[in-house]
Amino acid sequence: MVTIYDVAAKASVSAMTVSRVINNTGKISEKTRAKVKRVMEELNYVPNQTARSLVLQQTKLLFLLITDIMNPFYTTLARGAEDAAKKSGYRLLFGNSDESLEKESDYVTTILTARVDGVLVAPAGDPSLPHMESLRKHNVPFVLLDREVPGIECDIVLGDSKEGARMLVEHLVSQGHRRIAIVNGSPSISSARLRLQGYQDGLKLNDIAFNDRYVYETSFGPLNDLTEMEHWIDQMDPPPTAIVAGNNVLAVEVMRLLRGRGISVPDDMSIVCFDDLGPYSEIEPFLTVAAQQAYQFGYMGMKMLIERIQERETALPWKKIVLPADLMIRRSVKKITPL
């Protein structure tokens, strides 16, 4: 492997001069700089990134930690984050916690070991607080996405979960539905709590009494066993005519369960959900959704993170961006006569 000393010898300069050219530091004539760069190209020299990072006190590496790589919302978000990072000259590392605090903890350890310049993170939930405190303790800038963590102040990009859920309920009511159930994420996740509040607000605004038997709380990720949800559907009396799913993954799980029981959507049960299904919705537009601006989550969050890194010596105020959801009306809701 070609070393900095090989370059220095062929260019007839010191190793320190080569280092200054690589790191763009110190006063060097343009003639010398051009000669060193020409020799580097001739020898196919690749700078030692670790050594360069020690000189510059930065790695130009960022980390994106999300909760579910299979969710189209997060894959689109990741694209936005990568585009913003690349535009600013950063490389992006990636981790997927699967909604697991244990995996999230392991990734935080990796982040600290890799000495990345900053982290964009969708936390597993409220119990993620110690992990965020660990990042802060080690002076690693971070921006939260999609979910707040009570007890930590930081930059954050959120969707308007409460208003989006309210819009979904309002749409169902406009189509004659009054027995509306919700399948939602864990109450330890801020976005799930807000979506439940939006669901309740939508009922209240239409003089529909809240019935806690119509609420089922589970994981936002894929479900290995639908037995408990099946039991929940069976015990609702009277049964709902429509179901609000807290995210797109849960909507698919609900439809999978209903299909297995011979229940047709929307003929027998109407379904709406938070988050779109990515490119699938363009190929076969079916689900009515409160669609979030997934790409902007990643792009804007990354821009905030890079600004925080570049201005880390400045006491910038924390920023909170709330992106609205768009109601996309499709074919998963059947208009009925109010019961």
Side-chain angles (χ1 to χ4, degrees):
M1 183 178 291
V2 178
T3 69
I4 192 173
Y5 300 103
D6 297 325
V7 175
K10 185 164 184 176
S12 299
V13 297
S14 68
M16 179 61 73
T17 297
V18 177
S19 176
R20 287 173 175 168
V21 171
I22 294 170
N23 297 306
N24 197 29
T25 58
K27 293 183 178 180
I28 303 173
S29 70
E30 286 305 313
K31 181 178 179 181
T32 300
R33 188 182 300 278
K35 180 172 68 171
V36 171
K37 287 186 175 181
R38 185 174 63 252
V39 170
M40 289 170 61
E41 290 177 2
E42 291 173 0
L43 297 178
N44 292 318
Y45 172 70
V46 178
N48 184 312
Q49 188 62 42
T50 301
R52 189 168 186 267
S53 298
L54 291 173
V55 172
L56 300 178
Q57 291 297 298
Q58 59 180 212
T59 61
K60 301 298 284 186
L61 286 174
L62 301 173
F63 203 101
L64 173 63
L65 180 56
I66 61 175
T67 62
D68 183 5
I69 185 58
M70 298 298 290
N71 187 328
F73 169 76
Y74 284 116
T75 53
T76 305
L77 180 155
R79 169 60 68 185
E82 182 188 31
D83 287 350
K86 186 175 181 180
K87 187 175 291 187
S88 296
Y90 287 85
R91 293 172 295 157
L92 190 61
L93 302 178
F94 169 82
N96 174 53
S97 73
D98 282 325
E99 304 278 0
S100 164
L101 287 168
E102 183 178 356
K103 285 188 69 174
E104 184 177 87
S105 178
D106 290 342
Y107 273 120
V108 168
T109 299
T110 299
I111 287 165
L112 296 177
T113 303
R115 302 181 66 84
V116 300
D117 293 339
V119 185
L120 201 57
V121 54
D126 296 354
S128 298
L129 179 60
H131 303 156
M132 302 305 106
E133 290 176 332
S134 181
L135 293 175
R136 179 146 297 167
K137 177 183 177 182
H138 289 87
N139 297 313
V140 179
F142 62 90
V143 173
L144 295 187
L145 297 174
D146 192 38
R147 303 171 179 182
E148 296 180 281
V149 176
I152 197 83
E153 287 188 295
C154 61
D155 297 316
I156 187 167
V157 180
L158 297 171
D160 196 342
S161 288
K162 188 175 180 179
E163 177 62 14
R166 186 200 62 77
M167 287 193 301
L168 290 172
V169 173
E170 290 273 20
H171 173 64
L172 289 171
V173 173
S174 74
Q175 299 304 298
H177 297 274
R178 296 186 66 82
R179 298 204 303 262
I180 304 169
I182 181 171
V183 176
N184 201 19
S186 167
S188 67
I189 298 174
S190 65
S191 56
R193 292 194 297 271
L194 289 170
R195 288 169 197 179
L196 179 60
Q197 290 175 23
Y199 162 81
Q200 291 172 314
D201 286 351
L203 297 179
K204 185 175 181 180
L205 288 169
N206 289 280
D207 296 320
I208 301 173
F210 172 71
N211 185 344
D212 59 7
R213 290 182 302 167
Y214 279 19
V215 178
Y216 182 79
E217 293 173 328
T218 183
S219 167
F220 265 143
L223 305 177
N224 295 323
D225 188 353
L226 298 177
T227 303
E228 288 188 7
M229 187 189 296
E230 192 168 17
H231 176 69
W232 168 72
I233 287 178
D234 286 339
Q235 61 86 35
M236 283 188 285
D237 186 20
T241 61
I243 297 176
V244 177
N247 75 350
N248 46 16
V249 176
L250 288 178
V252 171
E253 297 290 35
V254 170
M255 289 193 292
R256 181 161 68 95
L257 185 153
L258 294 177
R259 183 177 64 235
R261 295 166 63 89
I263 300 173
S264 173
V265 177
D267 293 336
D268 303 320
M269 181 76 72
S270 293
I271 301 286
V272 297
C273 77
F274 221 97
D275 293 334
D276 210 346
L277 291 176
Y280 303 108
S281 61
E282 297 175 10
I283 297 170
E284 178 57 31
F286 177 70
L287 267 176
T288 290
V289 301
Q292 298 197 91
Q293 300 174 47
Y295 183 90
Q296 290 301 321
F297 269 78
Y299 192 90
M300 296 176 71
M302 186 58 75
K303 297 291 282 187
M304 290 169 68
L305 177 61
I306 292 170
E307 180 184 13
R308 181 64 62 179
I309 293 167
Q310 295 176 344
E311 302 292 336
R312 64 192 310 163
E313 301 302 323
T314 306
L316 297 175
W318 302 119
K319 293 182 180 178
K320 181 176 182 178
I321 296 176
V322 180
L323 299 173
D326 297 319
L327 182 64
M328 309 289 288
I329 299 174
R330 298 183 181 129
R331 298 186 289 107
S332 63
V333 175
K334 178 182 179 181
K335 187 176 181 65
I336 66 173
T337 302
L339 300 175

mmCIF file of all heavy atoms in Angstrom, residues 8-40:
data_model
loop_
_atom_site.group_PDB
_atom_site.id
_atom_site.type_symbol
_atom_site.label_atom_id
_atom_site.label_comp_id
_atom_site.label_asym_id
_atom_site.label_seq_id
_atom_site.Cartn_x
_atom_site.Cartn_y
_atom_site.Cartn_z
ATOM 1 N N ALA A 8 5.717 11.672 -0.536
ATOM 2 C CA ALA A 8 6.672 12.728 -0.196
ATOM 3 C C ALA A 8 8.001 12.538 -0.916
ATOM 4 O O ALA A 8 8.585 13.494 -1.443
ATOM 5 C CB ALA A 8 6.884 12.761 1.315
ATOM 6 N N ALA A 9 8.475 11.275 -0.966
ATOM 7 C CA ALA A 9 9.764 11.002 -1.603
ATOM 8 C C ALA A 9 9.724 11.319 -3.092
ATOM 9 O O ALA A 9 10.639 11.965 -3.636
ATOM 10 C CB ALA A 9 10.147 9.545 -1.376
ATOM 11 N N LYS A 10 8.663 10.871 -3.780
ATOM 12 C CA LYS A 10 8.584 11.089 -5.218
ATOM 13 C C LYS A 10 8.351 12.561 -5.556
ATOM 14 O O LYS A 10 8.809 13.045 -6.602
ATOM 15 C CB LYS A 10 7.476 10.229 -5.827
ATOM 16 C CG LYS A 10 7.437 10.331 -7.353
ATOM 17 C CD LYS A 10 6.626 9.223 -7.986
ATOM 18 C CE LYS A 10 6.715 9.326 -9.508
ATOM 19 N NZ LYS A 10 6.021 8.218 -10.180
ATOM 20 N N ALA A 11 7.649 13.272 -4.682
ATOM 21 C CA ALA A 11 7.377 14.694 -4.932
ATOM 22 C C ALA A 11 8.493 15.600 -4.410
ATOM 23 O O ALA A 11 8.442 16.826 -4.599
ATOM 24 C CB ALA A 11 6.058 15.083 -4.279
ATOM 25 N N SER A 12 9.496 14.991 -3.735
ATOM 26 C CA SER A 12 10.631 15.743 -3.174
ATOM 27 C C SER A 12 10.165 16.813 -2.183
ATOM 28 O O SER A 12 10.619 17.976 -2.211
ATOM 29 C CB SER A 12 11.455 16.383 -4.301
ATOM 30 O OG SER A 12 11.977 15.393 -5.159
ATOM 31 N N VAL A 13 9.223 16.419 -1.326
ATOM 32 C CA VAL A 13 8.751 17.307 -0.259
ATOM 33 C C VAL A 13 8.715 16.505 1.038
ATOM 34 O O VAL A 13 8.951 15.294 1.036
ATOM 35 C CB VAL A 13 7.340 17.868 -0.568
ATOM 36 C CG1 VAL A 13 7.347 18.724 -1.832
ATOM 37 C CG2 VAL A 13 6.324 16.732 -0.697
ATOM 38 N N SER A 14 8.418 17.169 2.132
ATOM 39 C CA SER A 14 8.327 16.475 3.414
ATOM 40 C C SER A 14 6.969 15.790 3.556
ATOM 41 O O SER A 14 5.992 16.165 2.881
ATOM 42 C CB SER A 14 8.520 17.457 4.564
ATOM 43 O OG SER A 14 7.417 18.347 4.631
ATOM 44 N N ALA A 15 6.915 14.803 4.443
ATOM 45 C CA ALA A 15 5.643 14.140 4.735
ATOM 46 C C ALA A 15 4.644 15.133 5.310
ATOM 47 O O ALA A 15 3.437 15.025 5.071
ATOM 48 C CB ALA A 15 5.865 12.985 5.711
ATOM 49 N N MET A 16 5.129 16.105 6.070
ATOM 50 C CA MET A 16 4.247 17.139 6.634
ATOM 51 C C MET A 16 3.577 17.944 5.522
ATOM 52 O O MET A 16 2.393 18.289 5.613
ATOM 53 C CB MET A 16 5.048 18.060 7.549
ATOM 54 C CG MET A 16 4.223 19.186 8.169
ATOM 55 S SD MET A 16 2.867 18.555 9.194
ATOM 56 C CE MET A 16 3.808 17.974 10.607
ATOM 57 N N THR A 17 4.336 18.236 4.454
ATOM 58 C CA THR A 17 3.753 18.982 3.333
ATOM 59 C C THR A 17 2.637 18.186 2.666
ATOM 60 O O THR A 17 1.573 18.717 2.339
ATOM 61 C CB THR A 17 4.845 19.329 2.301
ATOM 62 O OG1 THR A 17 5.811 20.181 2.910
ATOM 63 C CG2 THR A 17 4.252 20.035 1.087
ATOM 64 N N VAL A 18 2.878 16.876 2.477
ATOM 65 C CA VAL A 18 1.844 16.027 1.894
ATOM 66 C C VAL A 18 0.601 16.016 2.781
ATOM 67 O O VAL A 18 -0.532 16.110 2.301
ATOM 68 C CB VAL A 18 2.368 14.587 1.689
ATOM 69 C CG1 VAL A 18 1.252 13.696 1.137
ATOM 70 C CG2 VAL A 18 3.562 14.578 0.752
ATOM 71 N N SER A 19 0.823 15.919 4.095
ATOM 72 C CA SER A 19 -0.291 15.919 5.044
ATOM 73 C C SER A 19 -1.099 17.202 4.934
ATOM 74 O O SER A 19 -2.338 17.187 4.979
ATOM 75 C CB SER A 19 0.245 15.748 6.466
ATOM 76 O OG SER A 19 -0.807 15.838 7.408
ATOM 77 N N ARG A 20 -0.400 18.322 4.784
ATOM 78 C CA ARG A 20 -1.098 19.614 4.671
ATOM 79 C C ARG A 20 -1.912 19.701 3.387
ATOM 80 O O ARG A 20 -3.004 20.293 3.372
ATOM 81 C CB ARG A 20 -0.086 20.749 4.753
ATOM 82 C CG ARG A 20 0.461 20.961 6.160
ATOM 83 C CD ARG A 20 1.585 21.966 6.188
ATOM 84 N NE ARG A 20 2.011 22.241 7.560
ATOM 85 C CZ ARG A 20 3.107 22.903 7.889
ATOM 86 N NH1 ARG A 20 3.910 23.377 6.933
ATOM 87 N NH2 ARG A 20 3.414 23.108 9.150
ATOM 88 N N VAL A 21 -1.399 19.109 2.321
ATOM 89 C CA VAL A 21 -2.155 19.096 1.067
ATOM 90 C C VAL A 21 -3.424 18.246 1.229
ATOM 91 O O VAL A 21 -4.517 18.645 0.825
ATOM 92 C CB VAL A 21 -1.283 18.543 -0.083
ATOM 93 C CG1 VAL A 21 -2.139 18.318 -1.337
ATOM 94 C CG2 VAL A 21 -0.143 19.492 -0.388
ATOM 95 N N ILE A 22 -3.276 17.072 1.847
ATOM 96 C CA ILE A 22 -4.411 16.171 2.045
ATOM 97 C C ILE A 22 -5.497 16.829 2.887
ATOM 98 O O ILE A 22 -6.693 16.749 2.570
ATOM 99 C CB ILE A 22 -3.951 14.855 2.710
ATOM 100 C CG1 ILE A 22 -3.043 14.074 1.769
ATOM 101 C CG2 ILE A 22 -5.160 14.010 3.122
ATOM 102 C CD1 ILE A 22 -2.357 12.883 2.428
ATOM 103 N N ASN A 23 -5.071 17.493 3.973
ATOM 104 C CA ASN A 23 -6.029 18.065 4.918
ATOM 105 C C ASN A 23 -6.361 19.520 4.651
ATOM 106 O O ASN A 23 -7.148 20.127 5.393
ATOM 107 C CB ASN A 23 -5.493 17.914 6.345
ATOM 108 C CG ASN A 23 -5.347 16.464 6.755
ATOM 109 O OD1 ASN A 23 -6.295 15.701 6.676
ATOM 110 N ND2 ASN A 23 -4.145 16.074 7.171
ATOM 111 N N ASN A 24 -5.735 20.062 3.565
ATOM 112 C CA ASN A 24 -5.989 21.455 3.188
ATOM 113 C C ASN A 24 -5.718 22.412 4.353
ATOM 114 O O ASN A 24 -6.521 23.283 4.675
ATOM 115 C CB ASN A 24 -7.426 21.622 2.686
ATOM 116 C CG ASN A 24 -7.627 22.909 1.914
ATOM 117 O OD1 ASN A 24 -6.692 23.411 1.286
ATOM 118 N ND2 ASN A 24 -8.839 23.448 1.968
ATOM 119 N N THR A 25 -4.569 22.219 4.982
ATOM 120 C CA THR A 25 -4.167 23.060 6.107
ATOM 121 C C THR A 25 -2.787 23.653 5.822
ATOM 122 O O THR A 25 -2.033 23.170 4.963
ATOM 123 C CB THR A 25 -4.099 22.253 7.417
ATOM 124 O OG1 THR A 25 -3.172 21.169 7.247
ATOM 125 C CG2 THR A 25 -5.459 21.690 7.791
ATOM 126 N N GLY A 26 -2.435 24.711 6.551
ATOM 127 C CA GLY A 26 -1.113 25.317 6.419
ATOM 128 C C GLY A 26 -0.956 26.115 5.131
ATOM 129 O O GLY A 26 -1.814 26.128 4.260
ATOM 130 N N LYS A 27 0.182 26.813 5.020
ATOM 131 C CA LYS A 27 0.469 27.646 3.850
ATOM 132 C C LYS A 27 1.393 26.890 2.905
ATOM 133 O O LYS A 27 2.543 26.603 3.241
ATOM 134 C CB LYS A 27 1.112 28.958 4.281
ATOM 135 C CG LYS A 27 0.173 29.864 5.082
ATOM 136 C CD LYS A 27 0.835 31.190 5.416
ATOM 137 C CE LYS A 27 -0.132 32.107 6.174
ATOM 138 N NZ LYS A 27 0.499 33.413 6.515
ATOM 139 N N ILE A 28 0.878 26.558 1.725
ATOM 140 C CA ILE A 28 1.634 25.830 0.708
ATOM 141 C C ILE A 28 1.395 26.524 -0.636
ATOM 142 O O ILE A 28 0.260 26.910 -0.948
ATOM 143 C CB ILE A 28 1.189 24.356 0.622
ATOM 144 C CG1 ILE A 28 1.341 23.672 1.982
ATOM 145 C CG2 ILE A 28 1.997 23.603 -0.430
ATOM 146 C CD1 ILE A 28 0.774 22.280 2.026
ATOM 147 N N SER A 29 2.449 26.678 -1.411
ATOM 148 C CA SER A 29 2.295 27.323 -2.716
ATOM 149 C C SER A 29 1.432 26.456 -3.618
ATOM 150 O O SER A 29 1.401 25.225 -3.488
ATOM 151 C CB SER A 29 3.661 27.545 -3.361
ATOM 152 O OG SER A 29 4.230 26.302 -3.761
ATOM 153 N N GLU A 30 0.749 27.103 -4.546
ATOM 154 C CA GLU A 30 -0.109 26.372 -5.472
ATOM 155 C C GLU A 30 0.699 25.420 -6.338
ATOM 156 O O GLU A 30 0.227 24.344 -6.719
ATOM 157 C CB GLU A 30 -0.897 27.351 -6.344
ATOM 158 C CG GLU A 30 -2.030 28.059 -5.607
ATOM 159 C CD GLU A 30 -2.990 27.063 -4.960
ATOM 160 O OE1 GLU A 30 -3.400 26.082 -5.631
ATOM 161 O OE2 GLU A 30 -3.332 27.254 -3.782
ATOM 162 N N LYS A 31 1.941 25.811 -6.645
ATOM 163 C CA LYS A 31 2.803 24.957 -7.456
ATOM 164 C C LYS A 31 3.115 23.654 -6.724
ATOM 165 O O LYS A 31 3.021 22.565 -7.309
ATOM 166 C CB LYS A 31 4.094 25.707 -7.775
ATOM 167 C CG LYS A 31 5.055 24.906 -8.654
ATOM 168 C CD LYS A 31 6.307 25.720 -8.978
ATOM 169 C CE LYS A 31 7.275 24.909 -9.840
ATOM 170 N NZ LYS A 31 8.519 25.680 -10.150
ATOM 171 N N THR A 32 3.461 23.779 -5.416
ATOM 172 C CA THR A 32 3.766 22.592 -4.615
ATOM 173 C C THR A 32 2.519 21.740 -4.427
ATOM 174 O O THR A 32 2.564 20.500 -4.514
ATOM 175 C CB THR A 32 4.333 22.996 -3.247
ATOM 176 O OG1 THR A 32 5.533 23.744 -3.447
ATOM 177 C CG2 THR A 32 4.625 21.780 -2.385
ATOM 178 N N ARG A 33 1.402 22.393 -4.164
ATOM 179 C CA ARG A 33 0.145 21.667 -3.965
ATOM 180 C C ARG A 33 -0.217 20.848 -5.214
ATOM 181 O O ARG A 33 -0.597 19.676 -5.126
ATOM 182 C CB ARG A 33 -0.978 22.654 -3.639
ATOM 183 C CG ARG A 33 -2.291 21.990 -3.217
ATOM 184 C CD ARG A 33 -3.359 23.048 -2.965
ATOM 185 N NE ARG A 33 -2.954 23.962 -1.908
ATOM 186 C CZ ARG A 33 -3.088 23.713 -0.599
ATOM 187 N NH1 ARG A 33 -3.634 22.560 -0.209
ATOM 188 N NH2 ARG A 33 -2.696 24.591 0.299
ATOM 189 N N ALA A 34 -0.073 21.471 -6.384
ATOM 190 C CA ALA A 34 -0.393 20.789 -7.631
ATOM 191 C C ALA A 34 0.555 19.610 -7.860
ATOM 192 O O ALA A 34 0.128 18.535 -8.328
ATOM 193 C CB ALA A 34 -0.313 21.772 -8.799
ATOM 194 N N LYS A 35 1.832 19.786 -7.529
ATOM 195 C CA LYS A 35 2.802 18.703 -7.723
ATOM 196 C C LYS A 35 2.476 17.511 -6.828
ATOM 197 O O LYS A 35 2.511 16.355 -7.274
ATOM 198 C CB LYS A 35 4.212 19.217 -7.422
ATOM 199 C CG LYS A 35 5.284 18.137 -7.601
ATOM 200 C CD LYS A 35 6.698 18.704 -7.494
ATOM 201 C CE LYS A 35 7.015 19.184 -6.095
ATOM 202 N NZ LYS A 35 8.449 19.530 -5.939
ATOM 203 N N VAL A 36 2.154 17.784 -5.568
ATOM 204 C CA VAL A 36 1.825 16.709 -4.631
ATOM 205 C C VAL A 36 0.570 15.971 -5.095
ATOM 206 O O VAL A 36 0.526 14.728 -5.079
ATOM 207 C CB VAL A 36 1.639 17.264 -3.204
ATOM 208 C CG1 VAL A 36 1.071 16.186 -2.275
ATOM 209 C CG2 VAL A 36 2.963 17.775 -2.646
ATOM 210 N N LYS A 37 -0.436 16.688 -5.530
ATOM 211 C CA LYS A 37 -1.674 16.051 -5.996
ATOM 212 C C LYS A 37 -1.418 15.199 -7.238
ATOM 213 O O LYS A 37 -2.007 14.122 -7.398
ATOM 214 C CB LYS A 37 -2.741 17.109 -6.282
ATOM 215 C CG LYS A 37 -3.341 17.727 -5.034
ATOM 216 C CD LYS A 37 -4.488 18.670 -5.381
ATOM 217 C CE LYS A 37 -5.172 19.182 -4.115
ATOM 218 N NZ LYS A 37 -6.298 20.086 -4.424
ATOM 219 N N ARG A 38 -0.517 15.681 -8.120
ATOM 220 C CA ARG A 38 -0.199 14.924 -9.325
ATOM 221 C C ARG A 38 0.482 13.598 -8.974
ATOM 222 O O ARG A 38 0.153 12.540 -9.526
ATOM 223 C CB ARG A 38 0.701 15.754 -10.236
ATOM 224 C CG ARG A 38 0.996 15.076 -11.578
ATOM 225 C CD ARG A 38 1.755 15.980 -12.519
ATOM 226 N NE ARG A 38 3.078 16.342 -11.999
ATOM 227 C CZ ARG A 38 3.406 17.541 -11.538
ATOM 228 N NH1 ARG A 38 2.490 18.510 -11.531
ATOM 229 N NH2 ARG A 38 4.617 17.790 -11.080
ATOM 230 N N VAL A 39 1.403 13.660 -8.005
ATOM 231 C CA VAL A 39 2.099 12.441 -7.569
ATOM 232 C C VAL A 39 1.113 11.482 -6.891
ATOM 233 O O VAL A 39 1.187 10.263 -7.089
ATOM 234 C CB VAL A 39 3.256 12.794 -6.612
ATOM 235 C CG1 VAL A 39 3.834 11.535 -5.971
ATOM 236 C CG2 VAL A 39 4.338 13.554 -7.367
ATOM 237 N N MET A 40 0.202 12.008 -6.100
ATOM 238 C CA MET A 40 -0.806 11.162 -5.435
ATOM 239 C C MET A 40 -1.626 10.401 -6.472
ATOM 240 O O MET A 40 -1.929 9.212 -6.308
ATOM 241 C CB MET A 40 -1.724 12.021 -4.551
ATOM 242 C CG MET A 40 -1.042 12.557 -3.297
ATOM 243 S SD MET A 40 -2.036 13.791 -2.421
ATOM 244 C CE MET A 40 -3.478 12.858 -1.999
#
